[in-house]
Amino acid sequence: NGGDLPSHLNEATQAAVRATAEEAGRALGVVTGNIKGDLVVSDGKPYVIELAARASGGYFCTREIPLNTGVDFIGAIIRIALGEPLNPADLVPQRQTPVVQRYAFPRPGKVISITGEDDARRIPGIEEVAVTVQIGDMIPEPTHSGCTAAMVLATGASVAQARATAQAALNALRIETV
């Protein structure tokens, strides 16, 4: 139902994840460029689920990473693609601002009303509200990420505060179905 930044994993585990992702990227032949990976950690050891030579979607690269770290990840990818020089210091996080992404899963049925989007946007700490359905759309049973109707991104002084802010925004959104 979303994700939280920064990572809750200890530094040793994060280092192991970075090393595993780097090794997997090199195995794909990516020496200079970007990789997107889905990894899981089991018993303290990272395992690669998926790896691709592309940017991550779903606001992760475009909004979450910049909000969390201050790093312009997409700008760096563009500079690399254009063959322009990239200063490695531009990829060093400047901060670790808590960022929380959450999704709305309304009751399955036909959307008859969408209200509260402006109210959600006005909540302090809300960085993004994306309503992805329209009146008349059908909401299916929630079996995968495509069943969502909206997404919110929130920041806060702590992950707990950002979670509460995201929940407040989701509560302000009212997507009614029949």
Side-chain angles (χ1 to χ4, degrees), residues 19-30 35 48 51:
T20 299
E22 185 175 334
E23 182 181 340
R26 286 199 175 130
L28 282 180
V30 178
I35 59 170
V48 176
L51 197 74

Side-chain angles (χ1 to χ4, degrees), residues 40-109:
V40 296
V41 176
S42 178
D43 295 326
K45 184 175 180 192
Y47 296 89
V48 176
I49 300 298
E50 172 189 72
L51 197 74
R54 67 173 178 87
S56 186
Y59 297 93
F60 193 67
C61 289
T62 57
R63 298 288 281 141
E64 288 182 71
I65 290 173
L67 287 168
N68 173 240
T69 66
V71 173
D72 178 10
F73 198 69
I74 296 298
I77 293 171
I78 292 169
R79 286 193 299 281
I80 289 170
L82 294 173
E84 295 178 0
L86 180 65
N87 182 349
D90 292 342
L91 299 177
V92 175
Q94 304 302 308
R95 60 181 180 261
Q96 286 294 314
T97 301
V99 178
V100 168
Q101 179 185 54
R102 292 293 184 270
Y103 296 98
F105 293 92
R107 190 179 79 230

Side-chain angles (χ1 to χ4, degrees), residues 104-116:
F105 293 92
R107 190 179 79 230
K110 183 177 180 179
V111 177
I112 60 167
S113 173
I114 303 169
T115 59

Side-chain angles (χ1 to χ4, degrees), residues 12-13 107 133 154 159:
T13 303
R107 190 179 79 230
V133 295
V159 171

Side-chain angles (χ1 to χ4, degrees), residues 1-6 36 38 56-68 97-105 125-132 145 148-156 158-170 173:
N1 190 21
D4 300 352
L5 291 174
K36 173 262 184 218
D38 292 342
S56 186
Y59 297 93
F60 193 67
C61 289
T62 57
R63 298 288 281 141
E64 288 182 71
I65 290 173
L67 287 168
N68 173 240
T97 301
V99 178
V100 168
Q101 179 185 54
R102 292 293 184 270
Y103 296 98
F105 293 92
I126 289 297
E127 303 292 338
E128 190 82 39
V129 175
V131 176
T132 56
S145 63
T148 64
M151 182 280 310
V152 298
L153 274 179
T155 58
S158 66
V159 171
Q161 182 185 32
R163 284 178 185 157
T165 300
Q167 189 59 56
L170 289 175
L173 283 171

